[in-house]
Amino acid sequence: MSGETKTRREADAPRAGRRMFIQSYGCQMNVYDARRMSDLLALQGYGEAASAEDADLVVLNTCHIRERASEKIFSELGRLRELKAARSASGDALKIVVAGCLAQAEGAEIQRRQSAVDVVVGPQSYHRLPELLARAGNGARVVEAEFPEEDKFGFLPAPTEAATRRRGVSAFLTVQEGCDKFCSFCVVPYTRGAEFSRPVAAVVEEARALLAQGVRELTLIGQNVNAYHGAGEDGAQASLAGLMERLARLPGLARLRYTTSHPNDMAADLIEAHRALPALAPYLHLPVQSGSDAILKAMNRRHTSADYLALIGEIRAARPDIALSSDFIVGFPGESEADFEATMALVEAVGFSASFSFKYSPRPGTPGAERSDQIPEEVKSRRLLALQELLERQRQAFNRACVGRTLDVLVEKRGRHEGQVGGKTPYLQAVHFEGGPELVGRMLPVEILSAGSNSLHGRLKAREAA
Ligand code: 5AD
Ligand code: SF4
């Protein structure tokens, strides 16, 4: 369809309702927050638009973790400003909201640089979006980057059935937010605020609603999820393991995961849960960041590489087949060649199934950014390349070792090819196999036949299971 035809058709038939487009950047919690915002705005009458071009309201749910993340968002804001100018020239309004961690950290800067932005709202205040939009509707530009007293979860609507159906069988559920650890490279304690755990009853209620709508797998999320210490249903404090035991009793739940954890909060009962709780997937994302004790200390991680290895030993004793993944930062200030080699040695010693690795990015306001011994860009790049090669070799080896095994696959969607479906193994590998769309939502035994570079290929063993 030509642009002209489209314009004429739209002019003939004005849009029935307002439409929103929410673009999320960064971590899984942003994905979750975007869904909650979408449910909230749906109650205000907003339908979903396929793109910013098609929307009356665009929300950028932003990330501030590394400089690249912030740059991407400022460039997208430039594009949206032009779109807004073009739209207002035709008498059509477009509202722009910047939410998330960049909004929290640089709200004033965003307002200064981007006059097209109507509302800036931090991650702890997005439940106030309807009110903020109404204020912005009267011509004001609004910045809301407080850490309000109230718990935003108490003000958000329950997930709607239509939304969950669209979103599939695997859902994120925030159980903990914020962080008190203050690793010296990290902005999270400043953008997400102090650590906070939701009460067990609130989590159970949200889980029930999701399961009733067809969700089969829950990933409990939090910046420091294993520090979870929410109020229990009996009034006592519950640990993450306690919360998971409770959730595992809910009918319809096939699988539980949790992320992201700090090594120092890997409590004995959580390790035990990996042995004793059948619903808990044998997968653990446990960032170590570095294998050098000097760098771990400078990062304020408060553990050594030997502590980490000992912990991995305990976890593997509880669940020998567990797949482990981690985050790594190369080029933290002061990192010597020997420090970097210590990271490589730790990776060799553990054997990870998957990992994320980054060049250190100085973040304004964090202690790491103040240091005078920053590492040159080319050194960071060389180290990152070497580390990523090693991690990739380990990932491929882990995938190849699954060939010939039969794994329980939770079927999530139709495959890319006709007649195929796709899902995840317990170890969080993507797998596809021949099967019809009626299998979506079921946990099925699949024999792994081959390992490609990004996914496994398998064959359904039997249809009786689950
Ligand atoms: N530079 C590079 N990587 C970072 N991360 C957090 N802060 C920074 C930073 N300043 C990485 C850590 C963390 C992951 C979410 O992002 O590895 O675990
Ligand atoms: Fe950031 Fe994680 Fe450290 Fe908290 S524990 S400061 S979220 S890296």
Side-chain angles (χ1 to χ4, degrees), residues 206-425:
E206 192 173 329
R208 266 191 212 286
L210 290 166
L211 295 170
Q213 295 161 11
V215 166
R216 306 284 327 270
E217 174 181 87
L218 292 172
T219 302
L220 309 184
I221 57 173
Q223 276 85 28
N224 212 172
V225 73
N226 60 343
Y228 177 86
H229 58 281
E233 287 162 310
D234 56 1
Q237 211 172 65
S239 64
L240 183 63
L243 174 68
M244 292 198 295
E245 272 161 35
R246 176 71 189 85
L247 292 172
R249 296 205 298 271
L250 294 176
L253 184 79
R255 188 179 272 169
L256 269 173
R257 302 179 183 278
Y258 62 96
T259 198
T260 291
S261 297
H262 190 289
N264 291 359
D265 292 315
M266 249 1 259
D269 67 341
L270 184 53
I271 297 174
E272 179 56 26
H274 278 284
R275 186 200 319 268
L277 204 59
L280 180 56
Y283 182 94
L284 176 62
H285 183 62
L286 194 63
V288 66
Q289 314 295 356
S290 169
S292 151
D293 288 346
I295 296 298
L296 287 169
K297 190 156 195 286
M299 287 175 163
N300 193 31
R301 294 289 291 181
R302 298 168 194 266
H303 65 76
T304 63
S305 80
D307 294 336
Y308 186 83
L309 292 173
L311 183 58
I312 297 297
E314 280 179 57
I315 295 163
R316 281 195 164 135
R319 184 72 206 222
D321 68 327
I322 198 160
L324 295 162
S325 79
S326 177
D327 293 339
F328 297 92
I329 296 177
V330 299
F332 186 79
E335 186 186 70
S336 67
E337 221 42 57
D339 291 322
F340 174 64
E341 285 309 324
T343 298
M344 296 290 275
L346 179 138
V347 173
E348 293 278 10
V350 174
F352 291 96
S353 71
S355 279
F356 301 95
S357 45
F358 313 98
K359 288 189 235 180
Y360 172 66
S361 166
R363 308 310 291 131
T366 61
E370 311 283 301
R371 290 186 49 160
S372 56
D373 48 355
Q374 301 291 330
I375 301 297
E377 195 55 30
E378 61 275 15
V379 175
K380 288 188 201 172
S381 299
R382 174 168 50 76
R383 289 179 186 167
L384 186 66
L385 196 68
L387 175 61
Q388 289 188 336
E389 268 173 17
L390 174 58
L391 291 168
E392 179 58 14
R393 254 185 285 134
Q394 291 193 341
R395 190 178 73 87
Q396 302 283 356
F398 185 88
N399 287 347
R400 276 198 309 274
C402 291
V403 174
R405 292 181 62 190
T406 295
L407 302 175
D408 284 338
V409 171
L410 179 60
V411 184
E412 292 180 349
K413 56 186 184 203
R414 290 166 190 250
R416 251 179 293 139
H417 301 291
E418 191 61 32
Q420 278 191 348
V421 286
K424 295 271 163 52
T425 70

Side-chain angles (χ1 to χ4, degrees), residues 179 181-183 185-186 188-189 262 301:
C179 183
K181 296 266 188 306
F182 291 92
C183 298
F185 52 82
C186 186
V188 165
H262 190 289
R301 294 289 291 181

Side-chain angles (χ1 to χ4, degrees), residues 216 254 408-410 439 441-445 462-466:
R216 306 284 327 270
D408 284 338
V409 171
L410 179 60
L439 301 183
R442 296 183 60 191
M443 182 89 98
L444 296 165
R463 292 183 178 225
E464 290 77 45

